[in-house]
Amino acid sequence: MALSGCGSGGSASSADTKAQGPIKVWFSNNEQELAWGKTVVAAWNSKHPDQKVTAQEIPSASSSEEAITAAITAGTSPCLVYNISSSSVPGWVRQGGLVDLSKISDGNSYIETRSGDASNSYKTNGDYYQLPWKSNPVMIIYNKAIFKKAGINPENPGMNTYKGFLAAAKKIVSSGASKSAIWPAPTNEFYQPWNDFYPLYLAETSGTPLIKDEKATFDSEAGRDVTQFWKSIYEDGLAPTEKAADDAMAQGTTAMQLAGPWAIASYKGKVDVGVMPVPTSTGKKSVYTFADSKNISMFTSCKAQGTAWNFLKFSTSEAQDAKFIEATGQIPMRKNATSNYASFVAKNPSYAPYVDQSARTGDVPSITNASEVWQKFRDLWSADVIFGKGSASTFVSDSATAVNSLVKKG
């Protein structure tokens, strides 16, 4: 997809939000998303030759966030980016890089009609600087063959409680069915808590975010219970403390992973997989989990914000969302997902647990110095939980104190 200029140094004035003309958009480098992106751009351009959209992948960098931050600083950001992590939005707002979508005449109404009450958690300073776009709810995906080998019923594993999960995990390893029961990444990147602690914490607390009202929420019984669960996983040798060199579940060196619906396609033809919710201490029936959402933001460097907003709505319409889930297996964040995507699930029943789960998710809290907060949390987690230097109570107390200090600083 060709690269085209959108201009730089623009503002979020009311005049800009009505201006029309050619625009530039960025998509992630996901192969299926890019293919969908090409079709939606082509469909728009065929009807709007004077408002041409051109697109490219997000430029290479150590992360998408780094590439976007650099573009904001240089005034070279596109009009729209379709790969926004909520954790980065407050910093970009402070940097002056994002358009306040709530200031567009139908901004709030469009976002809230599409996504319902769930959209409220994506506000920054009371307004929308991102449109909630797609969800990849984190669940437990598992290798049915390994479960059978370990003597665990793959259709009804009985692992919805911590006690049941740990008992089955020990059976997997002690039976020799697999080297490990589960293998979350033990590396130290700031976002790794989203793949171990946070999904289970959201489940245990029915969606309570890590930080609320500028204060850590996890210095609690729920926080200690989740932490102790993961400490037991590592202390009992049920998860490795080194990084996997390959796809461990496909290779049979682990039985389970925490993953979103994208994993279904990645294991097709390789592993017969099952999907179950993350466990809770009491085995809740309708658990929450981490949404792992990626959203869409408009950038103040855009000169044709009217076109950008209209294209954003076109690309997130009910028709395009139906095409998106078909192309990618990722779940657009619309109200009534189960009924909206019933035809997709009928053709792809392995996705049914994920579509159902998408109605019960939480995301990262909207704070300015999110990366710093999560990194401190991860540093302490690595030391105390993965490598066993502290107790669950010590970790929760120390990390809550550190997080509270950073939130106030931010």
Side-chain angles (χ1 to χ4, degrees):
M1 291 182 283
L3 177 66
S4 171
C6 198
S8 62
S11 71
S13 70
S14 58
D16 287 333
T17 62
K18 296 178 181 178
Q20 297 183 344
I23 66 168
K24 176 177 69 176
V25 304
W26 288 356
F27 294 112
S28 82
N29 61 4
N30 176 280
E31 182 179 352
Q32 290 77 26
E33 281 186 45
L34 283 172
W36 169 83
K38 289 180 180 179
T39 63
V40 74
V41 167
W44 170 272
N45 286 344
S46 68
K47 296 180 179 179
H48 305 86
D50 59 335
Q51 300 176 63
K52 185 178 180 182
V53 176
T54 54
Q56 67 167 77
E57 296 179 32
I58 296 173
S60 297
S62 61
S63 67
S64 297
E65 289 73 24
E66 181 180 287
I68 294 167
T69 300
I72 292 173
T73 302
T76 57
S77 49
C79 283
L80 299 168
V81 174
Y82 287 69
N83 197 46
I84 299 296
S85 170
S86 295
S87 65
S88 300
V89 168
W92 292 335
V93 170
R94 186 170 64 175
Q95 194 177 350
L98 300 185
V99 172
D100 184 347
L101 302 179
S102 293
K103 297 296 190 289
I104 298 173
S105 60
D106 61 340
N108 285 349
S109 61
Y110 179 76
I111 291 169
E112 291 168 359
T113 298
R114 179 178 181 271
S115 300
D117 292 341
S119 58
N120 289 324
S121 63
Y122 294 92
K123 288 182 176 179
T124 301
N125 301 331
D127 282 348
Y128 294 110
Y129 291 84
Q130 58 184 321
L131 177 140
W133 178 37
K134 61 171 184 170
S135 173
N136 276 288
V138 174
M139 301 184 75
I140 303 286
I141 189 167
Y142 58 91
N143 185 321
K144 289 185 176 182
I146 291 176
F147 273 34
K148 290 178 184 177
K149 189 176 178 181
I152 299 168
N153 182 351
E155 306 308 325
N156 186 22
M159 298 171 68
N160 60 328
T161 65
Y162 293 163
K163 183 179 179 180
F165 192 101
L166 290 168
K170 290 175 183 177
K171 197 172 183 180
I172 289 166
V173 175
S174 64
S175 69
S178 180
K179 172 186 173 182
S180 65
I182 193 166
W183 202 334
T187 50
N188 207 42
E189 295 89 354
F190 77 90
Y191 51 80
Q192 291 299 355
W194 307 343
N195 301 309
D196 45 37
F197 174 85
Y198 203 41
L200 273 71
Y201 180 69
L202 289 165
E204 190 68 12
T205 62
S206 298
T208 299
L210 191 81
I211 296 159
K212 188 175 182 180
D213 299 326
E214 300 185 344
K215 187 177 181 181
T217 64
F218 57 89
D219 190 356
S220 63
E221 182 178 1
R224 287 185 286 275
D225 285 348
V226 174
T227 302
Q228 185 56 56
F229 169 82
W230 282 111
K231 278 187 68 67
S232 298
I233 290 283
Y234 287 106
E235 288 171 352
D236 294 340
L238 306 175
T241 57
E242 71 274 5
K243 183 179 180 180
D246 49 27
D247 187 330
M249 203 169 84
Q251 296 301 317
T253 51
T254 199
M256 297 176 278
Q257 292 284 22
L258 290 114
W262 52 266
I264 296 290
S266 70
Y267 287 118
K268 188 175 183 180
K270 301 176 184 176
V271 179
D272 183 13
V273 298
V275 180
M276 58 184 171
V278 298
T280 60
S281 61
T282 59
K284 292 181 179 181
K285 296 296 183 183
S286 298
V287 302
Y288 277 68
T289 191
F290 177 50
D292 194 19
S293 68
K294 291 295 183 289
N295 304 317
I296 307 168
S297 286
M298 187 188 304
F299 291 77
T300 52
S301 59
C302 180
K303 296 296 189 184
Q305 292 177 14
T307 295
W309 176 241
N310 288 332
F311 179 73
L312 188 156
K313 290 190 291 183
F314 175 78
S315 63
T316 59
S317 64
E318 189 171 351
Q320 286 299 334
D321 282 347
K323 292 177 181 179
F324 183 82
I325 193 172
E326 289 278 356
T328 69
Q330 300 176 67
I331 306 166
M333 296 173 69
R334 301 192 74 89
K335 291 186 297 186
N336 306 317
T338 302
S339 57
N340 273 326
Y341 307 128
S343 61
F344 171 78
V345 169
K347 292 183 289 183
N348 304 277
S350 56
Y351 287 87
Y354 281 110
V355 172
D356 176 70
Q357 181 67 72
S358 70
R360 299 177 304 281
T361 60
D363 219 311
V364 292
S366 180
I367 54 174
T368 301
N369 56 340
S371 296
E372 189 179 3
V373 166
W374 286 106
Q375 187 64 65
K376 174 56 70 174
F377 183 96
R378 188 63 178 182
D379 291 343
L380 294 169
W381 178 271
S382 296
D384 290 351
V385 178
I386 297 176
F387 297 106
K389 293 182 179 179
S391 68
S393 294
T394 298
F395 165 76
V396 167
S397 176
D398 289 352
S399 57
T401 298
V403 164
N404 285 334
S405 177
L406 288 170
V407 170
K408 290 176 182 176
K409 173 185 169 185

